[in-house]
Amino acid sequence: MPKTAFLFPGQASQFVGMGTELIVSYPKATELFATADQILGFDLSKVMFNGSEEELKQTNITQPSVFLHSIISYQCKLVDQTPDAVAGHSLGEFSALVCAGVMSFEDGLRLVRQRALVMQEACDQNPAMAAIVGLEEAQIEDICCNITDDVCVAANYNCPGQLVISGSIEGIKKAESLLIAAGAKRVILLNVGGAFHSPLMQPAKEKLADAINNTNFSKPICPVYQNVNSLPQTDPQQIQENLIQQLTAPVLWTQTIQAMIKNGIERVC
């Protein structure tokens, strides 16, 4: 059997009507949606099923929606399969940790809810993000490092040839002109509510740290490749610490996939 990794998406993978296909096909989905609504104290499922695109873009709605959709999909479709590794992109790391048995579904949902709330608060700091296409990572990193009077950092290493930068609106604007001059094919401003994975998320990180430290972390059933270092982790304490650092650290997704391939992963779900 090929070695298989389960991968989980992050913010921006939401869509109007998400979850309705699960309700129709899997009786267990109804139970899990009801449990989530009870934990959250409001009908998230109603927003997921019938909400507008604008509603789903709100960080405090988006994050629990994507987490819930991911976990219910896993519980309904793949729970009888044991992965050889798991990973999640940014928010998706919480889904990966639940899948690997590091935390319960209930604890994962509570943490994601708290993460969404504190990140929403931090979104009022003049934030921006942009995807850079067609320029070497080292060149992008150098340009970001040379912008010292505003915030601008490499945030998401999504795939070879595409890297997302994050920071203040002023910092991203300065980087845009420099990146185009350096030969970038495209600089695409993203429609996001915050400067995710940048120093501007420090207040959110400090608030979320207490919640993470007060949550029980168990030994995973398989290695968890974490965003902050792209390495397979099995120590609960290290996983916990890496999860805290994640909010202000870049998402090393390209490096994660490369590490999985190097370690023999042949198939992903």
Side-chain angles (χ1 to χ4, degrees):
M1 290 289 291
K3 292 179 71 175
T4 301
F6 290 177
L7 306 182
F8 295 89
Q11 197 160 342
S13 61
Q14 71 274 6
F15 57 93
V16 173
M18 62 192 302
T20 52
E21 78 286 359
L22 297 171
I23 287 287
V24 170
S25 303
Y26 302 97
K28 187 176 184 179
T30 301
E31 175 190 338
L32 290 170
F33 275 115
T35 299
D37 287 346
Q38 186 174 19
I39 290 171
L40 295 171
F42 70 97
D43 290 337
L44 177 64
S45 57
K46 192 173 292 185
V47 181
M48 293 173 65
F49 301 158
N50 303 310
S52 67
E53 187 175 338
E54 204 56 43
E55 285 178 292
L56 284 170
K57 281 182 181 178
Q58 302 302 311
T59 296
N60 60 339
I61 296 295
T62 304
Q63 295 197 16
S65 296
V66 171
F67 170 84
L68 187 55
H69 189 265
S70 293
I71 292 302
I72 294 178
S73 297
Y74 160 69
Q75 289 279 352
C76 292
K77 300 176 183 179
L78 296 171
V79 73
D80 293 331
Q81 301 181 40
T82 302
D84 296 291
V86 297
H89 188 287
S90 189
L91 165 67
E93 190 161 286
F94 288 81
S95 306
L97 293 174
V98 172
C99 172
V102 174
M103 65 178 72
S104 68
F105 162 67
E106 293 81 2
D107 283 345
L109 182 58
R110 291 188 187 97
L111 281 181
V112 166
R113 173 63 169 161
Q114 181 65 17
R115 182 182 193 263
L117 290 173
V118 298
M119 288 179 74
Q120 186 74 50
E121 291 175 11
C123 288
D124 298 328
Q125 299 185 36
N126 203 23
M129 298 182 77
I132 316 305
V133 179
L135 198 63
E136 292 294 325
E137 291 175 356
Q139 290 177 277
I140 299 172
E141 291 165 348
D142 285 345
I143 287 171
C144 289
C145 286
N146 286 327
I147 298 172
T148 56
D149 52 346
D150 284 298
V151 178
C152 182
V153 297
N156 296 346
Y157 293 76
N158 288 332
C159 65
Q162 201 254 59
L163 191 156
V164 171
I165 60 175
S166 180
S168 65
I169 290 177
E170 294 78 8
I172 299 302
K173 283 182 177 178
K174 290 174 183 177
E176 180 179 9
S177 59
L178 293 170
L179 290 162
I180 291 173
K185 292 180 181 177
R186 296 185 71 190
V187 177
I188 307 164
L189 293 176
L190 303 182
N191 183 19
V192 295
F196 305 136
H197 302 287
S198 82
L200 294 180
M201 285 291 116
Q202 183 63 31
K205 174 183 170 182
E206 292 171 0
K207 292 177 181 177
L208 186 61
D210 286 340
I212 291 176
N213 284 326
N214 288 319
T215 299
N216 180 58
F217 278 57
S218 302
K219 188 174 179 62
I221 61 171
C222 65
V224 180
Y225 286 74
Q226 291 193 271
N227 291 177
V228 298
N229 56 19
S230 72
L231 299 176
Q233 306 289 347
T234 56
D235 177 65
Q237 186 174 350
Q238 187 62 60
I239 290 172
Q240 196 170 33
E241 177 56 32
N242 288 345
L243 195 62
I244 292 171
Q245 299 304 321
Q246 189 217 57
L247 273 187
T248 54
V251 175
L252 303 181
W253 193 247
T254 300
Q255 296 87 332
T256 293
I257 300 303
Q258 291 170 340
M260 284 186 169
I261 294 170
K262 183 178 179 180
N263 291 334
I265 296 294
E266 302 175 75
R267 178 173 172 263
V268 298
C269 293

